[in-house]
Amino acid sequence: MAEHRDNRQPSSSGVSRREFLGTVGAGTLGAALVGPAAPASEAAAPQADGLAPVTLLINGRPQQLRVEPRWTLLDVLRDRLGLTGTKLGCGRGECGACTVLIDGLPRYSCMTLALEAEGLEVTTVEGLMNGEELGPVQQAFVDEDAFQCGYCTPGQVVAAEGLLRGSPDPGLEEIQDGMSGNLCRCGTYDHIFKAVRRAVELRQSAGS
Amino acid sequence: MLPKFTYVRPSSLSEALEHSRSDGAVLHAGGTDLLGCLRDGVFPAERVVAMSGLEELRGISPTRDGGLRIGALTTLAEIAAHPLITERYAALAQGAASAASPQLRSQGSLGGNLCQRPRCWYFRSDFHCLRKGGAICYAIAGENQYHCIFGGDRCYIVHPSDTAPALVALDARVRLASPSGTRLLPMESLFVLPSEDVRSETVLQPGELLTEVLLPPPAAGQRSTYRKVRARGAWAFALAGVAVALSGADDRVEGARVVLSGVAPIPWRAVDAEELLTGGRLDAETISRAAAATVTGAQPMTRNGYKVELVRGLTEETLQTLALQ
């Protein structure tokens, strides 16, 4: 999709992104970014070492990896690709901190096997940047002060992005329902709902 | 991290059936229930057989008889939004829309929603309960506020699905495939009570796979609805719910199905209420009597007595809403 303009990895991220995503240890991640390349295989046949080759399309960029079948998409995003914007919260599909878009729809990456994402388009919070600028949904969360500790925020932002891709101008009830798969322990829900409305305006003025 | 398993993604149904026959094989549709069970050690898996390559199990299409076919891998989000379902089978659309969260609805499949394991907290945690091959049900003497008031027998789970009661109310059928062929069952025959089999919630045999759901053409004057009560406004399982499908006119109801969720180990048909509604007028007195009849024979446990009045009131309100349509 046209929105995925930023294909670079967090190791080279600028200040604005680091501040926003709260990415830690970004400078040490470079080594983990490029795993041993393996030929793409649709059948994901496991090798003798139990690792299966897979090509994942992350933020518009193909990533060739070898993964254990039990690794979730979240495991791979954070621990193999260094895309630590996506957070591990409950690890059981209840809190939404790990939300990513898969083929444009919000899903829990902790409840998705990495092998199941093969052939699908995955978008993480890093993929919502416009170069070094925040994307409209990210900017809206800043504008509306829609977080306190910020841990759930990447998941909230991606869930809001998914909601607005499916329904560009939702009312409050639809926003509440669309954001109901994401918990915020700081309880900033009112600000989050305002941020989604603000994002509608920013997206409209950006013509996206 | 999940326990180790091997993974195959067959590209045909026959290949999937072959793989699923092997010892320790489990089927993966959306995976939203399976991965939670594996993570919590509810049951083991040596091999995960992913159904995601089976394109023929996706999609919603009209059938020749004027009904609808829904492939087992169709997501709950697709069902909730499909115009033919929202128009003709509202209870199913509402059931799918009220399940889980937006993220899980865009991943979870209809087949998986029907075949999901119970949410009983003893079953899901370290208790070696009857359903896991142990000796007793811990809910009997334990925390049973979310357990059943109907159909319990040694084990007191409730069936967690929101689409199943709607599909039973709409008289859907379900197709099961095995290497020896397929069988087509009424939706309500898919589910088994603990008295029949305390280890399984469905009649599915090892190596058998749910492939599709078939909805009949709507009867004349048919309208349906599903309403669910949960502990908060979203993303929670039903404390109690009711799916109602009525046909005919309000001055003479031709057919009635009243199916409860969250209160029994299977989608629970309130047969006494259905009989009271059938052939009569849908007026306030009939509605009140039918609502009272939904809880005939209820056997609450020590902490879930609230469900009796909840079901009665919920059914009464739901029938009143349908009478105004």
Side-chain angles (χ1 to χ4, degrees):
Chain A
M1 288 185 195
E3 293 95 317
H4 307 166
R5 271 164 255 168
D6 189 335
N7 293 331
R8 290 173 309 116
Q9 304 295 347
S11 59
S12 59
S13 66
V15 170
S16 61
R17 174 170 26 195
R18 260 207 306 280
E19 283 178 343
F20 186 75
L21 303 177
T23 305
V24 292
T28 64
L29 290 165
L33 299 182
V34 186
S41 163
E42 280 195 13
Q47 307 295 296
D49 57 3
L51 296 178
V54 64
T55 302
L56 299 178
L57 187 61
I58 314 285
N59 298 329
R61 176 166 159 174
Q63 301 277 359
Q64 294 186 340
L65 298 153
R66 284 155 52 77
V67 303
E68 278 192 52
R70 63 174 171 161
W71 290 354
T72 64
L73 179 58
L74 176 66
D75 295 333
V76 168
L77 289 172
R78 289 184 58 84
D79 301 338
R80 297 285 134 181
L81 297 173
L83 292 169
T84 52
T86 308
K87 302 301 183 203
L88 169 63
C90 65
R92 50 197 310 124
E94 290 176 2
C95 79
C98 69
T99 301
V100 298
L101 300 183
I102 299 185
D103 282 354
L105 298 172
R107 284 183 32 176
Y108 297 136
S109 60
C110 78
M111 297 297 277
T112 303
L113 295 178
L115 289 173
E116 284 284 297
E118 179 156 47
L120 308 178
E121 189 173 308
V122 179
T123 305
T124 70
V125 70
E126 290 90 346
L128 301 183
M129 298 287 292
N130 289 331
E132 283 302 302
E133 302 294 315
L134 298 178
V137 179
Q138 295 166 318
Q139 186 62 52
F141 271 67
V142 175
D143 291 351
E144 294 294 341
D145 195 18
F147 43 82
Q148 286 183 31
C149 84
Y151 194 82
C152 72
T153 309
Q156 302 275 4
V157 166
V158 177
E161 175 74 23
L163 169 64
L164 296 178
R165 286 192 190 182
S167 176
D169 191 11
L172 179 61
E173 202 173 315
E174 191 179 355
I175 291 172
Q176 289 173 332
D177 182 61
M179 300 300 291
S180 63
N182 294 72
L183 298 180
C184 170
R185 210 174 70 169
C186 305
T188 61
Y189 295 106
D190 281 348
H191 289 237
I192 289 170
F193 300 151
K194 282 181 193 154
V196 178
R197 280 308 307 172
R198 173 75 180 143
V200 171
E201 294 166 18
L202 291 176
R203 288 170 101 249
Q204 282 171 351
S205 61
S208 59
Chain B
M1 178 109 1
L2 292 163
K4 279 183 186 282
F5 50 76
T6 61
Y7 171 95
V8 284
R9 190 196 291 181
S11 53
S12 72
L13 182 58
S14 57
E15 202 188 330
L17 289 168
E18 195 57 42
H19 283 298
S20 64
R21 286 168 67 190
S22 64
D23 281 348
V26 295
L27 287 163
H28 178 298
T32 57
D33 187 45
L34 175 68
L35 297 196
C37 287
L38 296 182
R39 199 184 300 273
D40 290 342
V42 176
F43 53 81
E46 284 172 35
R47 167 177 290 195
V48 168
V49 181
M51 296 164 71
S52 47
L54 307 179
E55 285 303 319
E56 70 261 42
L57 300 194
R58 289 181 201 285
I60 298 164
S61 52
T63 53
R64 276 189 204 161
D65 66 355
L68 214 56
R69 180 252 185 201
I70 308 176
L73 292 182
T74 310
T75 67
L76 297 179
E78 289 163 346
I79 289 167
H82 196 280
L84 282 177
I85 297 178
T86 53
E87 282 165 28
R88 297 189 198 169
Y89 307 100
L92 175 59
Q94 290 158 359
S98 66
S101 67
Q103 287 92 329
L104 292 171
R105 291 195 292 274
S106 49
Q107 180 166 356
S109 69
L110 179 61
N113 192 260
L114 297 174
C115 298
Q116 63 183 310
R117 303 307 308 273
R119 307 303 305 195
C120 168
W121 42 35
Y122 297 106
F123 176 74
R124 292 268 169 171
S125 58
D126 290 338
F127 294 83
H128 191 56
C129 73
L130 200 59
R131 190 160 289 272
K132 289 192 285 199
I136 61 165
C137 168
Y138 292 90
I140 296 170
E143 298 290 330
N144 52 36
Q145 46 269 56
Y146 301 133
H147 289 75
C148 70
I149 58 172
F150 297 106
D153 179 18
R154 298 178 292 150
C155 165
Y156 293 83
I157 59 161
V158 298
H159 200 280
S161 172
D162 294 308
T163 59
L167 288 168
V168 172
L170 293 165
D171 203 17
R173 290 174 300 166
V174 60
R175 190 183 304 278
L176 311 181
S178 70
S180 56
T182 74
R183 52 178 175 149
L184 195 56
L185 304 175
M187 183 58 67
E188 60 178 318
S189 305
L190 176 67
F191 303 102
V192 296
L193 283 165
S195 56
E196 301 162 57
D197 183 353
V198 81
R199 298 293 305 277
S200 179
E201 297 80 58
T202 69
V203 298
L204 278 158
Q205 298 298 305
E208 202 170 30
L209 194 155
L210 193 161
T211 58
E212 64 185 8
V213 167
L214 297 169
L215 284 157
Q222 179 171 302
R223 59 260 196 233
S224 71
T225 191
Y226 175 69
R227 189 162 161 214
K228 169 181 180 179
V229 175
R230 47 195 159 183
R232 62 194 193 107
W235 193 182
F237 291 92
L239 297 173
V242 62
V244 180
L246 301 176
S247 59
D250 279 1
D251 55 1
R252 184 176 165 80
V253 173
E254 299 287 342
R257 284 243 176 139
V258 179
V259 188
L260 307 175
S261 66
V263 292
I266 59 172
W268 188 258
R269 277 186 69 182
V271 180
D272 290 349
E274 292 176 359
E275 281 176 8
L276 270 165
L277 292 165
T278 305
R281 290 175 63 89
L282 196 59
D283 54 27
E285 192 199 330
T286 309
I287 287 173
S288 176
R289 288 174 59 213
T294 54
V295 291
T296 311
Q299 293 182 304
M301 304 173 77
T302 51
R303 292 164 191 263
N304 67 0
Y306 70 94
K307 287 195 177 188
V308 177
E309 185 55 21
L310 184 58
V311 165
R312 194 203 60 74
L314 178 63
T315 308
E316 184 160 19
E317 280 189 17
T318 305
L319 286 168
Q320 284 166 349
T321 309
L322 273 182
L324 296 172
Q325 283 183 9

